[in-house]
Amino acid sequence: MSVAKGGTAALRETLQAKLDYEQLTNCMRCGFCLPACPTFKETGVEAESPRGRISLMKAAVDGLMEPNVMFEEQMNHCLGCRACEPACPADVKYGQLIEQAREAVELHTTQHRWWVKGVRKAVFKQLFPHQHRMRLLGAAMNVYKKSGVQTLIRKTNAVGMFSSQLASMERILPDASGKGIVEIMGTRVAAKGEKHGTVGMFRGCLMDVMFTETNRKTVELLSEAGFDVVIPEAQNCCGALHAHSGEKEQAKELAKHNIRAFQEAGVDFIVSNAGGCGAILVEYDHLLHEEPEWHDQAIWFAKRVKDISTILAEKGRPLQYAALPQDQGTARVTYQDSCHLRNVMKGGQAPRQLLQQAAGGAYVEMKDAGSCCGSAGIYNMTQPEMSNQILEHKMENVNAAGVRYVVTSNPGCHLQMKLGIEKHGCSGQMEALHIADFLYDRLVR
Ligand code: SF4
Ligand code: SF4
């Protein structure tokens, strides 16, 4: 079974060039990572585990197996959630290995269907890097929702005929906007009261048109906490989806652009409100490690990145929150971790601390909150079967927690939880919210 352009020998050569062999040999096969891995928990199959995937990578590099279709599938089945990293006693940098493997696979794959190639090119190269095009997309989505086209599409099941997963995603589309945060608030928002520092807001390409209100509330929270907020207009997409999907060279170009934009803004911290973006932003130094001329600038950038919850919990003026309204006095609030915020940014504690302050005794920790929800960037589109299986198990835990609010820290997790709630017919009694929305709506000024 040949998978690769140029044959499996060509793919092996690229894997040999890209993969960090020292990291591959650092894995001592102990298996401590297995219980943390969602795809292993779902399947019980060694090849679907971190240890199994590392063994496949090493065997391919060592010439002990053909990097064939099965190899490519196993690399693509990984969610990239990186729950295996904190569980690993040998500190194996699994996230780096899987990105290197995917970059190699992407260079040689013959597996993409014609339309997947077209969509990838359009999304990665023509859409995400250009914020004005993202705003046009937001405006088009707004028209789609409000003009009656959406109603027609749903009645005729036009999307469902193409893909049932796309049809499910269509049902939970947020209210998009043709205006981003800069168009709404300008590029500077002053601190309220005593000033505690200057932060740069990383607006995110998708966040800025699909969750514009969340971005606005993030800026308001930062201003209330005593930060001058600068929103550099020149910033662009973080490059996370590119890096996770094997488009590393483009991710590097996006990173350089962002570093320049925030250096010119002269900020103390760079704040992200999306775990998926934040996780690559804190690793720009690694992303650019082969380019010595970017070394100091990438480190300058990476060490300033903070998630919105972390900066609110650790810096600035502590904020006060109103109790939940009387009619929601028994409402319970839980938190679904963003894998990248928890496993890469090590920021799982701050959201819980803030939610306990804002919701008091109504906060409950759900079982396996730290385990992936199955969203994982575009995984829920590319691997719908596994994604839905993981989501079903997640919803068992959400339902058992008996909550009204499921709070998240990442747009992908937010939409995935919305999808789970919709699929379980709970939309009237349960709501998925971004933490910035939850906190801002309870803010006492
Ligand atoms: S990144 Fe997540 S899905 Fe992939 S091997 Fe690690 S724990 Fe498993
Ligand atoms: S925990 Fe680390 S060393 Fe052990 S099998 Fe997993 S990746 Fe290898």
Side-chain angles (χ1 to χ4, degrees):
M1 273 194 297
S2 176
V3 56
K5 276 183 217 147
T8 51
L11 174 55
R12 184 192 322 287
E13 269 178 37
T14 308
L15 286 165
Q16 285 166 343
K18 301 264 176 210
L19 278 165
D20 182 337
Y21 197 76
E22 196 182 322
Q23 286 297 323
L24 290 176
T25 51
N26 278 352
C27 174
M28 52 193 183
R29 314 278 184 260
C30 65
F32 285 1
C33 53
L34 268 60
C37 175
T39 53
F40 179 74
K41 282 194 274 185
E42 292 297 333
T43 61
V45 173
E46 174 71 15
E48 298 269 11
S49 76
R51 181 175 66 183
R53 292 188 178 106
I54 291 170
S55 299
L56 291 176
M57 291 175 206
K58 187 160 183 301
V61 167
D62 290 343
L64 301 175
M65 71 167 281
E66 294 273 297
N68 56 16
V69 173
M70 188 277 282
F71 177 86
E72 177 174 350
E73 280 174 0
Q74 289 310 337
M75 297 306 120
N76 289 335
H77 278 186
C78 170
L79 292 143
C81 69
R82 294 173 67 173
C84 42
E85 286 188 17
C88 175
D91 194 28
V92 173
K93 308 284 185 223
Y94 177 85
Q96 294 171 14
L97 289 173
I98 192 71
E99 270 178 20
Q100 291 157 356
R102 281 181 174 164
E103 192 190 1
V105 164
E106 198 50 41
L107 285 169
H108 293 274
T109 187
T110 54
Q111 294 298 298
H112 291 328
R113 288 184 223 157
W114 65 269
W115 63 269
V116 174
K117 280 188 192 163
V119 169
R120 280 179 68 98
K121 190 169 176 209
V123 170
F124 289 144
K125 294 200 164 79
Q126 307 299 335
L127 185 59
F128 283 178
H130 307 283
Q131 203 54 27
H132 64 284
R133 292 183 193 163
M134 292 299 293
R135 285 197 290 275
L136 287 176
L137 174 71
M141 284 170 67
N142 205 9
V143 171
Y144 169 78
K145 278 196 106 171
K146 293 185 177 157
S147 65
V149 177
Q150 183 178 54
T151 313
L152 184 67
I153 293 272
R154 286 187 182 179
K155 270 190 189 152
T156 55
N157 191 30
V159 181
M161 283 188 277
F162 188 58
S163 152
S164 61
Q165 186 70 0
L166 266 184
S168 300
M169 299 303 291
E170 193 278 335
R171 284 204 300 277
I172 46 112
L173 274 182
D175 290 330
S177 166
K179 284 186 180 169
I181 192 68
V182 169
E183 287 70 37
I184 294 168
M185 302 184 88
T187 54
R188 280 186 176 266
V189 176
K192 304 245 168 72
E194 189 195 343
K195 184 178 161 183
H196 287 261
T198 302
V199 300
M201 162 82 183
F202 189 82
R203 65 186 168 192
C205 59
L206 269 177
M207 279 300 291
D208 208 40
V209 295
M210 290 177 77
F211 297 95
T212 320
E213 262 302 278
T214 305
N215 269 0
R216 185 183 71 76
K217 290 174 182 176
T218 301
V219 173
E220 296 281 6
L221 285 165
L222 289 165
S223 166
E224 290 285 343
F227 295 106
D228 275 352
V229 186
V230 184
I231 314 163
E233 219 171 345
Q235 65 180 292
N236 57 21
C237 169
C238 63
L241 287 179
H242 301 79
H244 302 329
S245 307
E247 305 283 348
K248 197 165 157 194
E249 287 310 310
Q250 205 177 0
K252 285 184 185 175
E253 290 313 307
L254 293 167
K256 291 175 192 171
H257 197 91
N258 283 326
I259 291 170
R260 273 189 224 110
F262 282 89
Q263 278 197 317
E264 279 166 20
V267 294
D268 303 317
F269 298 106
I270 297 159
V271 179
S272 157
N273 60 4
C277 302
I280 190 157
L281 299 179
V282 295
E283 292 191 334
Y284 271 3
D285 51 341
H286 173 72
L287 184 66
L288 296 170
H289 75 281
E290 287 160 332
E291 304 197 28
E293 66 278 21
W294 280 93
H295 179 258
D296 292 349
Q297 297 172 73
I299 288 177
W300 178 92
F301 186 98
K303 73 180 189 193
R304 277 169 177 72
V305 175
K306 299 246 176 242
D307 181 72
I308 178 66
S309 294
T310 308
I311 198 156
L312 290 179
E314 294 176 1
K315 312 269 179 200
R317 190 170 41 246
L319 301 176
Q320 302 298 318
Y321 305 100
L324 288 165
Q326 201 61 44
D327 64 334
Q328 296 172 8
T330 56
R332 308 218 298 168
V333 182
T334 197
Y335 179 67
Q336 165 57 33
D337 277 288
S338 148
C339 299
H340 287 121
L341 176 56
R342 181 188 176 101
N343 301 324
V344 184
M345 298 179 83
K346 314 291 181 215
Q349 202 41 48
R352 290 172 167 83
Q353 184 186 321
L354 295 173
L355 288 173
Q356 277 159 8
Q357 282 167 18
Y363 178 79
V364 288
E365 183 74 16
M366 79 166 146
K367 188 177 168 214
D368 281 344
S371 188
C372 184
C373 62
S375 167
I378 53 171
Y379 190 92
N380 53 4
M381 306 297 290
T382 58
Q383 306 289 338
E385 211 173 295
M386 179 62 80
S387 171
N388 287 331
Q389 204 175 316
I390 291 170
L391 178 59
E392 272 312 297
H393 285 133
K394 179 60 64 183
M395 287 309 296
E396 282 171 17
N397 294 330
V398 170
N399 290 330
V403 291
R404 176 171 176 81
Y405 301 109
V406 185
V407 179
T408 68
S409 295
N410 186 57
C413 315
H414 183 169
L415 289 178
Q416 185 81 342
M417 295 320 302
K418 222 174 145 183
L419 181 64
I421 291 168
E422 155 92 16
K423 279 185 170 175
H424 279 241
C426 303
S427 300
Q429 314 95 56
M430 202 185 279
E431 200 180 339
L433 281 175
H434 189 283
I435 192 162
D437 296 318
F438 186 85
L439 296 176
Y440 179 83
D441 293 349
R442 277 153 196 84
L443 194 60
V444 177
R445 271 163 245 170

